[in-house]
């Protein structure tokens, strides 16, 4: 078929009976193609002028569209050079056709200007074959052809007026319509057209060609039935809708060729119209050109629309096939589609595997088969809606809820929890045509989460019991330890008799360990109060300088014993603050003692107190062993001890920093730390200003 043989760039297909070497030359040699079109223009142009009425003033339907094709099929650098041959061919063909030389020159100049305009507007000055595939191309083509027709009308009228050759109005009408028709009919042949497979079969192809070949002569032979010519338009529309673009254009050209030949020979309604209606002889060409223009303006848009429809259908089929493959290949997700009445229309292999139904078992059935009334009621109560599946679905859609846990019932009756997402399916008008749900079986995850919640609850209960036990034991231990510590002091003071040196030393060690044990119990009791009802602070205005001084005085002996340099930097003026003096001092003692404990001999601990507009800052820095970066986020948790402290067997309970942190928080402040292993540590305590 003609539609299956195309030249490069979308040009018309040559005759398949042409030898292969000549066929290759036609396809790949622009001089051969352009030269062929110029030769065709010269021959048909001569016959068009010769066939025009002798007493007429126009030149028939001169093939100006073929001359434009020669430029459209040529490289950009060459196309303008072809305007001179076009001008020469036009002068010769019009002159040999019997028109005066001055008329031939005027018409030829008009034709040349038209050809240049059409080439520039359609190709946009590029070397590429122009496109005629979408609505934008169609608009440009129509505007270009009408502009060219207007140029033809203006040039004809001007020539007629300058050389006094006929009525300028009739000449403009005749030349304008003829050139418009020529461009509308012929320029699509040189374009890149939609390329789609034929819809019609071989028999329909033959019937179309036979209909054109038979109907055209029958319609254009009688001269008294002008309305019958429009019977041919449905035949052209039939071709445009059912066969390839280039073959449909070929059928249109064949029909118009019959029309031109028979009209030129004096047959048909267009040839008889001037005598029947007392019109100028040139009006038969105007009527014929108008008919040709109508045919082109019907056929070409239909070709483009069919091409777009076929391409859209191809894309839709490809997308549908891709979607089908995705849906069918997704075995880990249940995809269920339903219509507006919740009847199942899609059930993918993933749904078959998860729910135990075969697709043919559930098609057309309601999605209610996957849910029990109890599970729907439970989900509805959770969402606060009516206890119906529709109400639950509407709520999910309205709030765009994704990953909602829904209980599904398998074919064997077992219940499985799915994480489901529901969405609406709409048509082009926005009307809902169905629903689509995707879900994954998360039963194992839900069960694991439930088990984890239960374990966490049990751990919290155990933790509460542990805290209560520690608090109770601490209270119970405090009294006997205090009593032991008191009797040790009496023994050391000699209240029960003189002690020897060995006994005195042993009792001193026991006393120191009793003090450590009592301090540990105090820490535990402080944390217990914090967890139960806070520290019950007794705030009053205190001078933070005194708090820091006294706290450093408590730690100074340990620093001196450890061979450390303890530096204190305080403001000259008092630093008032509303807080619990004892707790604040305890927090500072814990921070400074911590710095002293983890700084080797020969190091330095610095304590500084500064004030600003936002409050007061306490800084405690040391040159000690530091804290690993990965462990710093755990620094203020109870009983935490860094890994390097454990490796070096530095004693401690891990409660000091957690107590300091709690005290600072209770006073509306914050505490932060910066440290690097082996490079020391710095703590900053930010306390709000006294208002």
């Amino acid at each position: 078929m003609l539609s299956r043989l195309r030249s490069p760039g979308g040009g018309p297909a040559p005759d398949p009976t042409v030898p292969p070497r000549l066929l290759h030359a036609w396809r790949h040699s622009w001089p051969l193609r352009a030269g062929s079109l110029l030769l065709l223009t010269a021959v048909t142009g001569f016959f068009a002028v010769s066939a025009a009425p002798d007493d007429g003033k126009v030149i028939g339907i001169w093939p100006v569209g073929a001359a434009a094709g020669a430029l459209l099929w040529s490289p950009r650098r060459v196309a303008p050079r072809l305007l001179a041959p076009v001008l020469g061919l036009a002068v010769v063909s019009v002159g040999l056709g019997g028109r005066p030389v001055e008329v031939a020159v005027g018409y030829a100049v008009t034709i040349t200007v038209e050809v240049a305009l059409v080439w520039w507007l359609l190709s946009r000055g590029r070397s590429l074959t122009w496109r005629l595939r979408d609505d934008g191309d169609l608009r440009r083509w129509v505007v270009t052809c009408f502009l060219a027709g207007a140029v033809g009308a203006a040039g004809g009228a001007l020539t007629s007026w300058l050389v006094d050759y006929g009525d300028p109005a009739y000449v403009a009408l005749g030349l304008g319509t003829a050139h418009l028709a020529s461009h509308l009919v012929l320029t699509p042949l040189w374009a890149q057209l939609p390329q789609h497979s034929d819809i019609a079969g071989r028999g329909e192809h033959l019937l179309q060609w036979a209909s054109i070949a038979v109907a055209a002569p029958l319609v254009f032979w009688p001269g008294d039935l002008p309305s019958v010519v429009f019977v041919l338009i449905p035949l052209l529309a039939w071709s445009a809708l059912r066969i390839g673009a280039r073959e449909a254009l070929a059928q249109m050209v064949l029909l118009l060729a019959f029309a031109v030949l028979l009209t030129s020979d004096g047959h048909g309604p267009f040839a008889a119209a001037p005598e029947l209606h007392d019109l100028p002889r040139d009006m038969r060409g105007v009527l014929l050109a108008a008919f040709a223009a109508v045919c082109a303006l019907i056929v070409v848009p239909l070709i483009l629309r069919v091409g777009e429809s076929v391409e859209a259908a191809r894309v839709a089929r490809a997308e549908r096939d891709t979607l089908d493959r995705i849906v069918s290949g997704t075995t880990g997700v249940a995809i269920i589609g339903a219509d507006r009445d919740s009847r199942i229309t899609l059930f993918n292999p993933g749904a078959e595997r998860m729910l135990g139904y075969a697709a043919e078992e559930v098609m057309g059935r309601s999605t209610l088969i996957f849910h029990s009334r109890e599970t729907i009621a439970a989900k509805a109560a959770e969402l606060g809606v009516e206890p119906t599946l529709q109400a639950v679905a509407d709520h999910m859609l309205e709030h765009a809820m994704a990953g909602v846990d829904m209980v599904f019932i398998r074919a064997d009756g077992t219940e499985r929890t799915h994480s489901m997402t529901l969405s609406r399916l709409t048509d082009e008008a926005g009307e809902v045509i169905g629903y689509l749900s995707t879900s994954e079986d998360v039963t194992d995850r839900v069960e694991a989460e439930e088990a984890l919640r239960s374990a966490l609850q049990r751990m919290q209960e155990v933790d509460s019991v542990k805290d209560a036990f520690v608090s109770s034991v601490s209270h119970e231990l405090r009294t006997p330890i205090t009593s032991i510590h008191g009797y040790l002091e009496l023994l050391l003071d000699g209240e029960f008799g003189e002690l020897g040196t060995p006994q005195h030393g042993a009792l001193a060690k026991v006393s120191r360990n009793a003090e450590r044990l009592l301090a540990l119990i105090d820490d535990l009791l402080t944390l217990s109060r914090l967890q139960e009802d806070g520290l019950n602070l007794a705030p009053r205005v205190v001078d933070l300088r005194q708090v820091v001084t006294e706290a450093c005085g408590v730690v100074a002996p340990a620093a001196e014993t450890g061979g450390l340099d303890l530096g204190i930097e305080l403001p000259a003026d008092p630093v008032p603050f509303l807080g619990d003096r004892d707790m604040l001092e305890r927090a500072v003692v814990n921070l400074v003692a911590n710095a002293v404990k983890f700084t080797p001999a020969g190091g330095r601990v610095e304590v500084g107190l500064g004030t600003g507009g936002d409050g007061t800052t306490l800084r405690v820095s040391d040159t000690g062993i530091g804290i690993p970066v990965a462990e710093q986020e755990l620094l203020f948790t109870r009983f935490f001890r860094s890994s390097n402290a454990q490796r070096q067997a530095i004693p401690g309970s891990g409660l000091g920093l957690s107590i300091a942190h709690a005290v600072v928080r209770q006073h509306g402040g914050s505490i932060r730390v910066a440290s690097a292993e082996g490079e020391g540590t710095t703590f900053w305590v930010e306390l709000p200003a006294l208002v």
Side-chain angles (χ1 to χ4, degrees):
M1 290 303 161
L2 293 176
S3 62
R4 295 168 189 163
L5 292 172
R6 311 179 192 277
S7 66
D15 189 342
T17 61
V18 176
R21 185 173 299 175
L22 185 56
L23 180 63
H24 183 272
W26 169 269
R27 288 177 174 174
H28 298 281
S29 173
W30 68 264
L32 180 59
R33 289 188 295 167
S36 300
L37 285 180
L38 289 176
L39 178 61
L40 177 66
T41 300
V43 174
T44 56
F46 171 75
F47 282 108
V49 178
S50 300
D54 293 335
D55 56 347
K57 304 302 180 184
V58 293
I59 53 175
I61 303 179
W62 202 88
V64 64
L71 271 70
L72 290 170
W73 269 1
S74 300
R76 179 181 181 182
R77 68 182 186 282
V78 176
R81 303 176 191 172
L82 297 180
L83 292 174
V86 170
L87 177 64
L89 290 175
V91 171
V92 172
S93 63
V94 176
L96 292 178
R99 299 298 184 265
V101 175
E102 60 273 19
V103 173
V105 172
Y107 288 175
V109 171
T110 300
I111 289 170
T112 305
V113 172
E114 276 187 60
V115 169
L117 177 67
V118 170
W119 167 73
W120 179 259
L121 291 179
L122 291 184
S123 70
R124 299 177 181 178
R126 295 180 296 187
S127 300
L128 302 176
T129 304
W130 77 285
R131 287 170 45 92
L132 184 54
R133 290 187 174 179
D134 54 34
D135 287 342
D137 299 333
L138 181 65
R139 286 192 295 270
R140 188 169 79 255
W141 169 69
V142 171
V143 170
T144 298
C145 292
F146 273 89
L147 286 176
V151 170
L158 182 62
T159 300
S160 173
W161 178 73
L162 289 176
V163 302
D164 193 20
Y165 186 72
D167 186 342
Y170 274 114
V171 172
L173 179 62
L175 211 62
T177 54
H179 288 195
L180 171 64
S182 179
H183 286 300
L184 288 173
V185 172
L186 295 179
T187 51
L189 296 172
W190 330 127
Q192 293 180 1
L193 296 170
Q195 299 184 13
H196 57 81
S197 301
D198 297 339
I199 301 174
R202 184 178 296 274
E204 189 175 348
H205 274 271
L206 295 176
L207 180 60
Q208 287 173 345
W209 283 101
S211 299
I212 296 294
V214 173
L218 290 178
V219 168
F220 279 99
W221 189 267
D224 54 352
L225 297 173
S227 61
V228 177
V229 297
F230 293 99
V231 173
L232 298 172
I233 293 180
L235 290 178
L236 296 178
W238 174 28
S239 299
L241 293 172
R242 300 287 295 172
I243 62 178
R246 209 160 292 285
E247 188 175 358
L249 290 176
Q251 290 187 5
M252 180 181 69
V253 171
L254 175 62
L255 184 149
L256 294 177
F258 278 121
V260 170
L261 291 174
L262 291 175
T263 301
S264 299
D265 197 36
H267 298 285
F270 297 146
E275 287 78 10
L276 291 175
H277 302 287
D278 193 22
L279 298 172
R281 294 277 291 169
D282 286 331
M283 285 303 296
R284 76 177 191 178
V286 173
L287 295 174
L288 180 60
F291 174 74
V294 169
C295 291
L297 288 173
I298 290 175
V299 170
V300 174
L302 282 178
I303 288 173
L304 266 61
R305 192 61 61 227
V306 170
E308 290 179 353
S309 300
V310 171
E311 178 64 17
R314 185 192 66 78
V315 172
R317 284 195 302 271
E319 291 179 349
R320 184 189 63 216
D321 293 342
T322 301
L323 181 60
D324 287 343
R325 285 193 295 270
I326 292 173
V327 170
S328 299
T330 306
T331 58
V333 177
I335 303 176
I336 303 173
D339 61 16
R340 288 184 298 180
D341 299 321
S342 298
R343 291 188 297 265
I344 299 170
T345 57
L346 171 66
F347 201 74
N348 81 321
E352 292 181 329
R353 183 180 66 82
M354 293 184 190
L355 297 174
Y357 291 95
E360 55 271 16
E361 294 181 74
V362 299
M363 287 297 183
R365 298 176 65 183
S366 172
T367 54
L368 280 169
I369 63 174
F370 303 129
H371 310 281
S372 67
R373 291 184 179 180
E374 293 75 16
T375 58
I376 292 174
K379 179 55 66 174
E382 177 186 330
L383 299 178
V385 297
E386 296 274 335
T388 64
L389 182 60
Q390 187 63 48
V392 172
D394 289 343
H395 184 85
M396 292 173 59
L397 291 167
E398 181 181 351
H399 294 83
M401 300 174 67
V404 177
D405 287 349
M406 287 284 293
V407 176
F408 281 70
I409 301 177
R410 285 177 48 86
D412 58 9
T414 59
E415 293 185 348
R416 303 290 293 180
T417 302
H418 285 208
S419 177
M420 186 181 80
T421 299
L422 184 65
S423 57
R424 291 188 180 94
L425 300 177
T426 58
D427 58 16
E428 294 180 353
E431 295 293 328
V432 177
I433 59 175
Y435 303 92
L436 183 72
S437 76
T438 59
S439 63
E440 295 181 82
D441 191 326
V442 294
T443 305
D444 295 339
R445 188 205 72 191
V446 171
E447 292 176 351
E449 289 177 351
E450 184 61 32
L452 184 59
R453 280 194 293 269
S454 298
L456 180 59
Q457 184 177 0
R458 289 195 297 271
M459 289 177 64
Q460 289 173 340
E461 293 173 355
V462 170
D463 196 48
S464 297
V465 171
K466 179 204 69 176
D467 290 340
F469 172 76
V470 170
S471 178
S472 176
V473 170
S474 298
H475 278 92
E476 294 299 324
L477 288 176
R478 182 178 179 82
T479 300
I481 293 298
T482 302
S483 177
I484 292 171
H485 188 262
Y487 277 103
L488 285 171
E489 288 183 345
L490 292 174
L491 286 170
L492 289 171
D493 290 340
E495 294 294 330
F496 298 102
E498 293 295 329
L499 298 175
T501 300
Q503 290 86 356
H504 193 281
L507 288 176
K509 291 180 180 178
V510 173
S511 179
R512 286 195 298 271
N513 283 286
E515 290 177 355
R516 290 180 56 190
L517 185 56
L518 190 59
L520 176 59
I521 291 172
D522 285 342
D523 288 343
L524 291 173
L525 290 173
T526 300
L527 286 175
S528 178
R529 292 204 312 274
L530 176 64
Q531 292 170 349
E532 292 173 359
D533 55 5
L535 294 175
N536 293 323
L537 301 176
R540 64 178 184 274
V541 177
V542 298
D543 184 359
L544 290 179
R545 295 186 311 164
Q546 295 179 1
V547 172
V548 173
T549 301
E550 293 180 10
C552 290
V554 172
V555 182
E560 184 177 354
T561 302
L564 303 179
D565 183 12
L566 177 61
I568 305 173
E569 183 179 351
L570 301 174
D573 298 324
V575 182
F577 182 73
L578 184 63
D580 188 303
R581 181 188 182 92
D582 293 337
M583 286 297 148
L584 288 170
E585 183 176 326
R586 183 167 188 171
V588 178
V589 168
N590 285 352
L591 289 172
V592 179
N594 198 69
V596 170
K597 182 191 302 183
F598 293 106
T599 302
R604 178 172 176 79
V605 175
E606 294 183 353
V607 180
L609 187 66
T611 59
D614 296 333
T616 305
T617 301
L618 171 69
R619 178 179 55 83
V620 179
S621 61
D622 62 62
T623 59
I625 63 174
I627 307 163
V629 175
E631 300 177 7
Q632 291 178 17
E633 61 181 11
L634 303 173
L635 197 57
F636 300 109
T637 58
R638 290 177 299 165
F639 305 109
F640 171 76
R641 301 186 71 242
S642 65
S643 57
N644 53 356
Q646 296 180 47
R647 284 195 305 269
Q648 298 183 35
I650 299 174
S653 64
L655 296 174
L657 289 179
S658 61
I659 292 175
H661 182 262
V663 171
V664 171
R665 293 289 298 274
Q666 287 283 319
H667 283 84
S670 63
I671 184 170
R672 55 191 174 90
V673 63
S675 181
E677 192 170 4
E679 298 181 6
T681 304
T682 299
F683 288 91
W684 289 274
V685 175
E686 308 285 347
L687 294 173
L690 178 63
V691 180

